């Protein structure tokens, strides 16, 4: 039997298991039905996704300022014209929209934007969320829950019913990285804090985190970090990271997700589409894993060039769990490279992907594209085992895939909680 035939046979076995779903999506910006208008869905939300907006500015003759003052529906039409009519949708985010529309039973070339909008007019939000979860094979979605977001805080204060499928993650970027801009919001919630980090303010920020941890019951806390983040550089963010965030996680036994390497507002004119990527100094991560062996760190890095070092660090520290192909690395060529590297260095002891979905429908294409690559990577590894006489059983394939698509994460964090 040729290697190609052997690998193809393994690929169909792996694809069948992957298609049976049961995936846990450990980081998204989605919300469950209880969060009302925070739920993003529909064709205009998909077309104005910041990935597509950024790509549109490479074609549009309009300035970002003139674009962003337009109503969302007009912005969506401009993106559609720029990326789907005026040129072929060849980028990952544009092909992704085509994958999604096809999965929903639409034919974008025939229906056109008007036809797609007519179809969406007949959809109901709660049913549509369930449809997207079913089509994507995702059984649990971790949200990004920010206690300093006034709209989200109001949803929690209104105490609407939770949804088992949507789990919580406590996001603390604003609190730790931009305290000067966040202090007022925390004070407005009744905590005795000021912009200066006095002992009293530190204690009150800790109490703020205690209150919101009790309310949200998060599976983990999460923060994104710039490439040059240090924990000992005398900055306000460094002391808040150490004396508030790490202390809070240790007291509550909360795993901490670090997303390292983002350069915020590289081009401020593009708004949310203006963030970039930078090569991170992972010595900070190495020091954290060594100095806090009881702290569990979920880590993803944004620069392609940091991926190998992250794998080597994961070989040194069992309290480091690599996850996902984040943002600018969430493209087939790099997902392939990262996943092979991780399997070769770590075996199935990492979480292969998170979708980072912002619009509910993103679940469909992001997981469909990732499953295609995961099937290729696993099939080639099983084919190599097969060639050496080690035939993995269907149950073992299921076990390995479960570990890579949420099972490993759940045992690392100790099981998510419903919001
Ligand atoms: O900081 C993050 O969680 C990033 O994922 C950003 O939200 C980014 O805008 C994004 O959506 N990436 O996929
Ligand atoms: Zn994100």
């Amino acid at each position: 039997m040729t290697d190609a035939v052997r690998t193809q046979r393994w690929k169909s076995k792996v694809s069948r298991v992957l298609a049976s779903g049961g995936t846990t999506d450990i980081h998204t910006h989605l919300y469950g039905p209880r969060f009302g208008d925070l739920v993003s869905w529909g064709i205009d939300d998909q077309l104005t996704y910041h990935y597509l907006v950024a790509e549109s500015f490479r074609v549009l003759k309009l300035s970002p300022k003139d674009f962003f003052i337009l109503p969302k529906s007009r912005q969506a039409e401009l993106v559609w014209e720029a990326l789907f009519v005026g040129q072929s949708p060849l980028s990952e985010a544009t092909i992704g929209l085509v994958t999604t529309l096809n999965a929903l039973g639409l034919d974008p070339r025939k229906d056109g934007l008007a036809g797609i909008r007519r179809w969406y007019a007949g959809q109901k939000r709660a049913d549509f969320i369930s449809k997207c979860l079913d089509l994507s094979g995702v059984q649990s979605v971790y949200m990004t829950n920010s206690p300093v977001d006034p709209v989200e805080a109001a949803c929690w204060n209104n105490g609407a019913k939770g949804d088992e499928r949507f789990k919580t993650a406590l996001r603390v970027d604003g609190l730790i990285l931009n305290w000067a801009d966040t202090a007022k919001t925390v004070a407005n919630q009744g905590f005795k804090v000021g912009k200066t980090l006095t002992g009293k303010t530190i204690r009150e920020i800790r109490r703020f985190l205690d209150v919101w941890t009790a309310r949200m019951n998060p599976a983990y806390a999460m923060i994104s970090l710039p490439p040059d983040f240090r924990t000992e550089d005398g900055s306000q963010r460094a002391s808040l990271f150490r004396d508030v965030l790490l202390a809070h996680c240790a007291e509550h036994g909360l795993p901490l997700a670090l997303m390292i390497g983002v350069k915020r507002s590289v081009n401020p004119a593009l708004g949310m589409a203006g963030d970039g990527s930078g090569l991170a100094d992972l010595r900070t991560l190495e020091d954290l894993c060594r100095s806090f062996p009881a702290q569990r760190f979920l880590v993803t890095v944004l620069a392609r060039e940091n991926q190998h070092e992250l794998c080597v660090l994961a070989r040194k520290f069992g309290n480091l769990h690599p996850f996902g192909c984040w943002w600018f690395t969430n493209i087939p060529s790099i997902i392939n490279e990262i996943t092979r590297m991780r399997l070769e260095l770590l075996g199935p002891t990492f979480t292969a992907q998170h979708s980072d979905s912002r619009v509910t429908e993103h679940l469909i294409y992001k997981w469909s594209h990732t499953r295609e690559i995961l099937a290729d990577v696993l099939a080639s590894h099983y084919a190599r085992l097969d060639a050496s006489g080690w035939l993995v059983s269907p149950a073992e394939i299921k076990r390995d895939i479960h570990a890579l698509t949420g099972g490993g994460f759940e045992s690392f964090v100790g099981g998510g909680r419903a919001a």
Side-chain angles (χ1 to χ4, degrees):
M1 182 191 311
T2 65
D3 285 354
V5 169
R6 180 183 281 121
T7 305
Q8 190 44 50
R9 282 195 183 167
W10 283 111
K11 183 168 178 180
S12 10
K13 289 180 186 175
V14 172
S15 302
R16 264 196 306 279
V17 176
L18 283 167
S20 64
T23 299
T24 296
D25 196 339
I26 76 167
H27 170 58
T28 76
H29 299 270
L30 301 182
Y31 287 96
R34 72 180 279 193
F35 292 90
D37 292 343
L38 280 173
V39 175
S40 173
W41 67 296
I43 186 62
D44 287 358
D45 279 31
Q46 291 175 83
L47 284 168
T48 54
Y49 179 37
H50 68 78
Y51 285 33
L52 293 180
V53 170
E55 291 171 32
S56 302
F57 283 131
R58 299 187 52 70
V59 184
L60 285 173
K61 299 288 174 268
L62 206 58
S63 75
K65 185 168 159 297
D66 292 340
F67 176 86
F68 286 119
I69 55 173
L70 296 169
K72 183 179 358 178
S73 56
R74 184 66 193 126
Q75 291 179 22
E77 285 152 15
L78 289 172
V79 171
W80 177 259
E81 286 299 318
L83 302 183
F84 295 84
V85 179
Q87 63 186 39
S88 300
L90 294 173
S91 71
E92 177 58 9
T94 52
I95 290 183
L97 178 57
V98 177
T99 300
T100 296
L101 294 174
N102 285 345
L104 291 169
L106 297 164
D107 176 345
R109 299 263 288 182
K110 184 167 67 57
D111 301 333
L113 183 50
I116 296 166
R117 279 174 167 163
R118 273 195 301 278
W119 180 85
Y120 263 101
Q123 304 303 313
K124 295 268 175 292
R125 178 167 63 196
D127 297 341
F128 192 76
I129 291 173
S130 301
K131 183 199 285 265
C132 290
L133 287 169
D134 294 345
L135 285 172
S136 62
V138 170
Q139 97 184 11
S140 298
V141 171
Y142 280 78
M143 302 182 281
T144 295
N145 302 105
S146 169
V148 295
D149 173 330
V151 179
E152 174 160 4
C155 290
W156 286 97
N157 294 332
N158 296 339
K161 188 182 144 335
D163 182 318
E164 261 305 309
R165 303 167 299 177
F166 289 83
K167 316 272 189 198
T168 50
L170 177 62
R171 187 66 181 257
V172 295
D173 290 36
L175 205 68
I176 306 299
L177 302 175
N178 308 307
W179 177 246
D181 306 337
T182 309
K184 193 154 173 36
T185 305
V186 175
N188 290 345
Q189 290 190 22
F191 296 88
K192 305 237 173 312
V193 294
K195 284 193 177 182
T196 313
L197 293 185
T198 60
K200 174 131 182 77
T201 288
I202 291 278
R203 283 191 300 277
E204 280 292 274
I205 303 174
R206 291 280 316 268
R207 190 170 70 85
F208 173 84
L209 281 179
D210 290 343
V211 166
W212 279 101
T213 297
R215 191 172 295 172
M216 288 180 171
N217 237 341
Y220 61 86
M222 172 179 269
I223 187 169
S224 69
L225 297 172
D228 60 351
F229 180 76
R230 298 276 182 289
T231 55
E232 307 287 348
D233 61 4
S235 64
Q236 197 177 61
R237 69 186 191 189
S239 36
L240 283 165
F241 183 90
R242 276 192 331 268
D243 307 337
V244 170
L245 181 55
L246 281 183
H248 178 76
C249 290
E251 184 187 337
H252 291 260
L254 206 53
L256 177 57
L258 304 176
M259 303 174 82
I260 307 173
V262 53
K263 285 166 76 173
R264 297 291 179 191
S265 289
V266 164
N267 181 354
L270 300 193
M272 195 191 286
D275 295 335
S277 169
L279 184 64
D281 180 347
L282 295 188
R283 283 176 298 180
T284 301
L285 177 61
E286 180 186 324
D287 294 345
L288 282 170
C289 290
R290 188 172 40 241
S291 316
F292 300 92
Q295 178 60 52
R296 288 163 290 169
F297 294 101
L298 293 153
V299 181
T300 196
V301 290
L302 190 49
R304 177 188 185 191
E305 299 77 6
N306 277 135
Q307 301 299 335
H308 186 262
E309 188 179 354
L310 177 65
C311 288
V312 173
L313 283 176
R315 288 172 63 89
K316 303 305 133 196
F317 297 106
N319 59 330
L320 166 50
H321 183 94
F323 74 92
C325 305
W326 182 28
W327 206 340
F328 306 110
T329 65
N330 196 357
I331 54 175
S333 56
I334 299 183
I335 297 170
N336 193 331
E337 177 184 277
I338 291 177
T339 309
R340 281 183 195 282
M341 187 193 301
R342 286 175 176 171
L343 262 185
E344 288 160 0
L345 279 168
L346 305 174
T349 65
F350 60 95
T351 296
Q353 186 62 291
H354 68 280
S355 72
D356 232 320
S357 295
R358 281 185 172 276
V359 186
T360 305
E361 295 91 316
H362 284 162
L363 290 170
I364 298 171
Y365 90 81
K366 289 175 183 263
W367 282 105
S368 151
H369 292 184
T370 283
R371 286 200 182 99
E372 183 62 29
I373 298 149
L374 196 48
D376 277 336
V377 174
L378 278 174
S380 64
H381 278 70
Y382 288 142
R384 279 175 68 193
L385 279 172
D386 178 355
S388 322
W390 183 295
L391 290 172
V392 287
S393 68
E396 288 166 334
I397 296 175
K398 205 168 159 53
R399 175 198 60 188
D400 298 342
I401 288 175
H402 176 64
L404 290 165
T405 57
F409 162 81
E410 293 294 355
S411 45
F412 188 75
V413 299
R417 304 167 183 86

